Amino acid sequence: MGKLGRDVPASRRGDRVPPKAGPAEAGPEARQRSFGRRLWSLLKPRSVAGQVFLLQLVVILVLITTAVVVLVVQDRNRAIQEAGDRSLVAAESFANAPGTAEAMKSDDPTAELQPHAEAVRKKTGVDYVVALSPYGFRWTHPDPDQIGKHVSTSYDEALEGEPHQTTFDSSLGKAVDSTVAVFDDKGTAVGLVTVGVTVDKVTGVVQRQLPVIFATGGLALLLAAGGSALVSGRLRRQTRGLGPVEMTRMYEHHDAVLHAVREGVIILDGDGKLLLVNDEARRLLALPPEAEGRPVTGLGLNPDLAALLGSGRPATDKVFLAGDILLAVNVRPVGLKGSSVATLRDTTELRALAGRADVAGGRLQLLYEASMRIGTTLDVERTAEELAEVAVPRFADFATVELVEPVLQGGEPTGSTMDMRRVAAAGIRDGVPLYPVGRRMRYEPGNPVAIGMTTGRPVLVEDLAMADGWRVQNPERAQRVIDYGIHSMISVPLQARGQLLGVVEFWRSEQDRFEADDLSPAEELAARAAVCIDNARRYTREHKTAVTLQRSLLPGVLPELSALDVGHRYLPAQAGVGGDWYDVIPLPGARVALVVGDVVGHGLHAAATMGRLRTAVHNFAALDLPPDELLAHLDDLITRIDQDAAAEGSTDAITGATCLYAVYDPVSGRCVLARAGHPGPALVAPDGSVSFPEIPVAPPLGVGGGLPVETAELRLAADSRLVLYTDGLVEARGRDIDVGLGMLRAALADTDGATPEATCRAVLDAMLRTRSSDDVALLVARTRLLDPDQVGEWEVPDDPAAVPRIRAEATRRLESWGVGEAAFTTELILSELVTNAIRYGGTPISLRLLRDRDSLICEVADGTSTSPHLRRATLTDEGGRGLFLVAQLSRRWGTRYTDRGKIIWAEQALDAGAAGDLSGLLMADL
């Protein structure tokens, strides 16, 4: 049967193509080394995930290889069995087919069987179907050349009726051959049928299953790679990107640091057993070498310390005694299983340092508080009190401060006297037998306080009972101080700019005695306080200077007037001197000017500016200017002053000044007002009703820019009260001006029938319950009207012949007033003034005589604005002596202009001796 095999075709053999030649360095050895390095790097992954992946790769490859081998072996055995079964079935089917036995007994079996054999072979897929004679000659064969040839194999077993199978290697591979005998009806073997099948024809199952196996293996590799990547990522997140090498290095470093650090570290589990102890903890606790793994309570430690460590409770700087060592213990829980970490620190040597650090920290805190609390005001005595309050009880149990007398008044300390006055004292309790506040002090030369004042250095008395110099000052009081418990003292002079301002004494009774280390903080405390006291002293001096200047610039005693009854108040601001002012200026014709002004700001500059403005107002009022013209001139003046200051480089400008100017005429009750940036007045009618008249407001002085000033005219009944004030009265921090005006209205409404002085008191009591932060000027004027019998008026014709008649009527009016002794002088004055009006003036011409208390006023009005001038006439002049006579005979005279012309007035005094002998004047060389 072996001859049936065929050689494998050449097309099934693969020819190998030789590789191309490369460069020398890329030769086989170089490539082998490079491949070896890559393979070694792959076989030695650095990360844990890579190592796990490599292990998984090896396992998967082994499993795949084993599965393939097992499958191949199983498939080979199964294929041989299947090939045998298939060949046997085909052989028996062909042998038992109808007509097979008759064809074999026929004369030409080949012709009968060859077609059927080929048909069966092709249909069953076997390699060959061969019919043989009982003697081994082929009747059929796929290769016709083989028909008739003899087969040497013995088929005795098949001829006996048992199928015969043989497995052999053919040229087409391993094959299985099955042979059966064909029997006729008599049971005689008439031939043989042998069928052969190669094993390769039935091994297709393995080839179909191999892709599934390899796909499953690839999927397993992908899953292993993905799992390794996930594990690697999680490990990197947990290890913060550190690889095994870095983690190993870190562990080594941490282990080195753990055992090298000078602080004990203990790690315990949830049961209180030691997991890790560093070398410092072993030394501090004197632990045995095998302490790890044992409960902390069984190591012979301090019971309290062992209980704290075993409990795992958090603790911060708990102090325990371990032998001779004082330990500061900190415990922190870690993890989720009750584990904890404890740190131990040796604080034995730090106790003394901590005590000194606490003292130093307390002194720094004391100096910090001194810088914050001393000098909060610019009051000398209050600053001294703050020094005593800061020192007690942090530094001393008691503190006393004395200052030189000139310092209290704001003056420079002269150094010629050691007299001082105690101005402040503080202590932890009352009843101390030290000298009280207000006592004048003069220390004996041997007293420690006097020594410190002389040398300029602090003096320490550690034991007052042994200080003879201190006891000599007053032995009886010194003994009482000692009996009270005061045992030590430090005296420090208060010096600033090289001058002695006073002295401060620190006393202790409950605290430890003063030591030399206490001198430095005491001196620093006194030095800071001395600077604040000196600043307060200088401020006091400047404040007194400014107050003196301001008081000198404000009106002292207001004149007594028949037109008005005036009450006034001025309250300086809480911050010091300000720029508010008021004034009452008598004007010709029994008229009165009322002025209230305000300069923004405080201090000497504001006071000086106020004085300049008040002087300017007096000068402009002397010209008898109407309110609008006066404020316009005042605005121009301030503008020029500011321009001059700017040209000189000075920053002290007067911008922000305001003013209210009013002129009241008691004859007509007419009041003309104008204001520049100032609050309007309040008016209280005789019936008690309160109103705020509408007064046109102009910009503040100096910023008007040439804008016109408008006036308002009021008709005031007798006993009306005109209230003028500055904004400090109605404006306040946190209070709107409308609210302030409402309060002022209510306060004035409650003063029905009150005098101006009483009105001022009531208004200030209602408006200023606390000291204002701005100056307040208040002026209350109650109006009067002149009795018509005190006024005489005449119309003067434009004719010199009318002068005698006018003079005669005026004389009769004077006699009716009971001032006939002034008739002669009055006749001379009015004759001159009326004659000049007729000669040089214009119509209409009028004459008015006013009797006002101790004065007689003669006014002549005409319709021209030509101003007369006083001059001295020479001997040859025929005229020019009239105004000279008027000036000599009257107390004062002048000219004021009206809308329709001018008024020339002359005022005579009606007191005794006013109308004296005029012969000397008449006979004088004019």
Side-chain angles (χ1 to χ4, degrees):
M1 293 298 295
K3 294 180 180 179
L4 295 176
R6 296 181 180 180
D7 295 334
V8 178
S11 61
R12 297 184 61 182
R13 299 192 304 267
D15 296 333
R16 298 178 59 89
V17 180
K20 297 181 179 180
E25 60 272 19
E29 294 183 0
R31 289 196 300 272
Q32 184 177 3
R33 285 197 301 271
S34 176
F35 176 77
R37 284 195 297 269
R38 290 196 300 271
L39 180 60
W40 182 249
S41 65
L42 292 176
L43 294 178
K44 290 185 64 178
R46 297 184 178 181
S47 65
V48 175
Q51 295 175 1
V52 173
F53 175 71
L54 180 61
L55 178 61
Q56 293 176 342
L57 177 62
V58 172
V59 170
I60 291 173
L61 291 177
V62 170
L63 291 177
I64 293 175
T65 303
T66 303
V68 171
V69 171
V70 170
L71 183 60
V72 169
V73 172
Q74 290 179 350
D75 185 70
R76 176 63 63 179
N77 295 333
R78 187 190 60 79
I80 294 174
Q81 180 66 32
E82 184 176 352
D85 293 343
R86 184 182 296 182
S87 62
L88 180 60
V89 170
E92 289 181 346
S93 298
F94 190 81
N96 296 323
T100 301
E102 287 76 6
M104 288 183 176
K105 291 188 300 182
S106 65
D107 295 335
D108 190 3
T110 299
E112 295 289 338
L113 294 176
Q114 178 68 16
H116 294 290
E118 287 300 309
V120 171
R121 180 181 67 82
K122 293 178 181 180
K123 183 179 292 186
T124 59
V126 296
D127 290 318
Y128 56 88
V129 177
V130 179
L132 301 175
S133 68
Y135 304 104
F137 292 96
R138 297 186 181 97
W139 286 332
T140 64
H141 197 279
D143 185 2
D145 295 337
Q146 300 294 328
I147 297 175
K149 293 184 178 181
H150 184 267
V151 180
S152 61
T153 303
S154 175
Y155 297 102
D156 295 338
E157 182 179 357
L159 293 174
E160 293 177 357
E162 292 294 332
H164 175 73
Q165 286 187 334
T166 302
T167 301
F168 61 96
D169 293 327
S170 68
S171 59
L172 298 177
K174 186 175 291 293
V176 177
D177 181 88
S178 296
T179 305
V180 296
V182 180
F183 295 94
D184 57 8
D185 297 336
K186 297 179 180 182
T188 303
V190 294
L192 296 171
V193 177
T194 179
V195 177
V197 179
T198 58
V199 176
D200 290 340
K201 286 191 175 183
V202 296
T203 57
V205 176
V206 175
Q207 294 177 358
R208 290 190 300 271
Q209 291 180 351
L210 281 180
V212 177
I213 294 174
F214 287 127
T216 304
L219 179 60
L221 286 176
L222 290 176
L223 293 177
S228 299
L230 292 176
V231 172
S232 176
R234 185 167 184 178
L235 288 176
R236 285 191 172 275
R237 288 193 298 272
Q238 293 177 347
T239 60
R240 301 183 183 277
L242 299 178
V245 177
E246 291 82 358
M247 293 181 64
T248 302
R249 186 182 300 112
M250 180 181 291
Y251 171 78
E252 293 174 351
H253 292 172
H254 288 185
D255 187 66
V257 172
L258 179 66
H259 292 285
V261 70
R262 297 298 298 172
E263 184 170 306
V265 178
I266 298 176
I267 300 178
L268 305 99
D269 62 10
D271 298 329
K273 294 181 180 181
L274 296 183
L275 299 179
L276 185 145
V277 182
N278 72 341
D279 296 341
E280 182 66 10
R282 292 182 186 276
R283 183 186 71 82
L284 294 176
L285 299 178
L287 297 176
E290 65 280 1
E292 285 86 347
R294 296 174 56 183
V296 70
T297 55
L299 298 175
L301 303 178
N302 183 317
D304 296 334
L305 174 59
L308 174 64
L309 296 177
S311 66
R313 296 191 307 271
T316 302
D317 288 337
K318 295 289 185 180
V319 180
F320 297 93
L321 187 63
D324 296 333
I325 300 176
L326 195 65
L327 296 178
V329 181
N330 293 273
V331 181
R332 294 291 182 273
V334 295
L336 301 177
K337 298 182 179 180
S339 301
S340 60
V341 175
T343 59
L344 314 173
R345 187 172 64 255
D346 186 357
T347 62
T348 307
E349 299 176 356
L350 296 178
R351 279 189 297 177
L353 294 177
R356 289 195 290 270
D358 290 340
V359 173
R363 290 175 178 174
L364 289 175
Q365 184 65 26
L366 172 66
L367 297 179
Y368 172 76
E369 289 188 9
S371 64
M372 298 297 294
R373 295 175 55 185
I374 298 177
T376 58
T377 65
L378 290 174
D379 183 81
V380 174
E381 295 188 11
R382 179 54 192 157
T383 304
E385 293 173 356
E386 291 171 345
L387 169 59
E389 293 170 358
V390 168
V392 177
R394 185 183 294 274
F395 183 70
D397 297 323
F398 303 93
T400 54
V401 182
E402 295 92 45
L403 296 178
V404 180
E405 286 288 347
V407 174
L408 295 173
Q409 307 301 323
E412 292 284 346
T414 60
S416 60
T417 178
M418 302 295 285
D419 293 341
M420 295 184 294
R421 183 159 60 91
R422 179 158 291 178
V423 296
I428 59 175
R429 58 181 181 270
D430 299 330
V432 60
L434 297 172
Y435 287 111
V437 174
R439 173 67 179 264
R440 294 184 181 277
M441 310 289 293
R442 183 178 180 84
Y443 293 100
E444 298 296 330
N447 192 291
V449 179
I451 295 174
M453 295 167 59
T454 303
T455 60
R457 302 295 300 171
V459 178
L460 168 64
V461 182
E462 296 186 16
D463 190 353
L464 291 175
M466 304 299 296
D468 295 335
W470 175 76
R471 297 171 63 91
V472 169
Q473 180 78 25
N474 190 330
E476 181 180 354
R477 184 174 291 274
Q479 187 60 44
R480 290 169 54 193
V481 171
I482 294 173
D483 295 341
Y484 188 78
I486 297 177
H487 48 69
S488 60
M489 180 265 286
I490 291 180
S491 175
V492 187
L494 297 172
Q495 300 180 99
R497 299 180 293 109
Q499 294 179 327
L500 179 66
L501 306 178
V503 65
V504 56
E505 298 96 5
F506 304 107
W507 314 80
R508 280 186 179 179
S509 61
E510 303 294 335
Q511 303 183 44
D512 296 337
R513 297 180 183 274
F514 282 116
E515 300 177 352
D517 292 342
D518 295 317
L519 290 175
S520 177
E523 188 174 13
E524 181 68 21
L525 190 62
R528 298 191 181 195
V531 173
C532 296
I533 292 174
D534 188 57
N535 290 338
R537 177 196 63 80
R538 297 171 66 181
Y539 171 78
T540 301
R541 181 186 61 189
E542 294 179 0
H543 181 69
K544 286 187 175 182
T545 301
V547 169
T548 303
L549 173 63
Q550 186 186 38
R551 293 301 182 186
S552 66
L553 295 175
L554 287 173
V557 179
L558 295 181
E560 293 184 5
L561 304 169
S562 59
L564 296 172
D565 183 12
V566 179
H568 58 90
R569 288 290 187 277
Y570 175 77
L571 296 180
Q574 187 175 3
V577 176
D580 291 12
W581 90 93
Y582 61 91
D583 213 338
V584 178
I585 305 173
L587 297 177
R591 295 172 303 128
V592 181
L594 302 175
V595 188
V596 174
D598 183 8
V599 175
V600 177
H602 300 90
L604 285 174
H605 173 66
T609 301
M610 177 268 292
R612 298 170 71 178
L613 293 180
R614 181 168 177 259
T615 301
V617 170
H618 270 271
N619 292 333
F620 291 135
L623 299 176
D624 210 346
L625 298 176
D628 53 344
E629 293 185 18
L630 186 142
L631 292 182
H633 285 294
L634 198 62
D635 181 73
D636 293 338
L637 173 64
I638 293 179
T639 302
R640 288 196 300 271
I641 293 175
D642 288 343
Q643 290 174 353
D644 294 341
E648 295 175 0
S650 175
T651 59
D652 295 335
I654 316 178
T655 53
T658 64
C659 184
L660 171 63
Y661 187 83
V663 176
Y664 173 67
D665 187 354
V667 177
S668 61
R670 177 171 174 263
C671 183
V672 181
L673 304 94
R675 60 179 177 139
H678 201 86
L683 178 61
V684 183
D687 60 359
S689 61
V690 182
S691 62
F692 294 93
E694 291 292 337
I695 310 298
V697 61
L701 300 175
V703 297
L707 295 177
V709 179
E710 299 182 27
T711 61
E713 181 176 328
L714 304 177
R715 292 288 178 173
L716 304 182
D719 291 330
S720 298
R721 281 173 289 171
L722 189 65
V723 181
L724 283 67
Y725 52 88
T726 56
D727 58 357
L729 181 68
V730 295
E731 291 185 4
R733 183 175 301 173
R735 185 179 70 189
D736 190 71
I737 186 172
D738 293 334
V739 177
L741 292 176
M743 294 174 60
L744 178 60
R745 181 191 298 272
L748 291 174
D750 294 336
T751 60
D752 186 18
T755 63
E757 285 293 329
T759 303
C760 289
R761 283 195 304 271
V763 168
L764 294 182
D765 291 342
M767 301 293 294
L768 304 177
R769 301 186 182 277
T770 59
R771 193 170 181 182
S772 175
S773 59
D774 194 6
D775 300 343
V776 175
L778 177 64
L779 188 63
V780 179
R782 185 171 60 184
T783 62
R784 297 193 185 100
L785 292 176
L786 291 182
D787 193 293
D789 293 338
Q790 295 178 266
V791 181
E793 294 182 305
W794 296 271
E795 296 292 333
V796 180
D798 188 13
D799 184 3
V803 175
R805 179 180 61 82
I806 297 298
R807 186 167 56 238
E809 294 180 3
T811 301
R812 287 192 296 270
R813 178 59 63 93
L814 294 178
E815 291 176 353
S816 66
W817 287 344
V819 292
E821 66 276 7
F824 178 72
T825 304
T826 304
E827 288 179 0
L828 291 177
I829 293 174
L830 67 86
S831 295
E832 179 62 31
L833 296 181
V834 171
T835 302
N836 286 342
I838 294 173
R839 180 178 298 176
Y840 303 108
T843 58
I845 302 172
S846 62
L847 169 65
R848 186 171 73 167
L849 291 178
L850 301 175
R851 181 186 176 187
D852 181 21
R853 289 191 178 185
D854 61 347
S855 62
L856 179 64
I857 304 169
C858 177
E859 297 180 343
V860 177
D862 66 78
T864 64
S865 59
T866 304
S867 176
H869 296 282
L870 179 65
R871 66 183 180 87
R872 182 179 292 274
T874 63
L875 293 176
T876 60
D877 289 338
E878 295 182 357
R881 296 177 177 85
L883 286 181
F884 180 79
L885 287 173
V886 172
Q888 294 297 318
L889 295 175
S890 60
R891 182 163 55 186
R892 54 179 181 162
W893 75 281
T895 304
R896 72 174 183 271
Y897 295 92
T898 64
D899 297 339
R900 295 177 295 178
K902 67 177 180 297
I903 297 175
I904 302 177
W905 57 270
E907 181 179 333
Q908 306 171 66
L910 295 179
D911 53 351
D917 186 8
L918 300 177
S919 59
L921 177 61
L922 295 175
M923 299 303 296
D925 183 11
L926 301 177

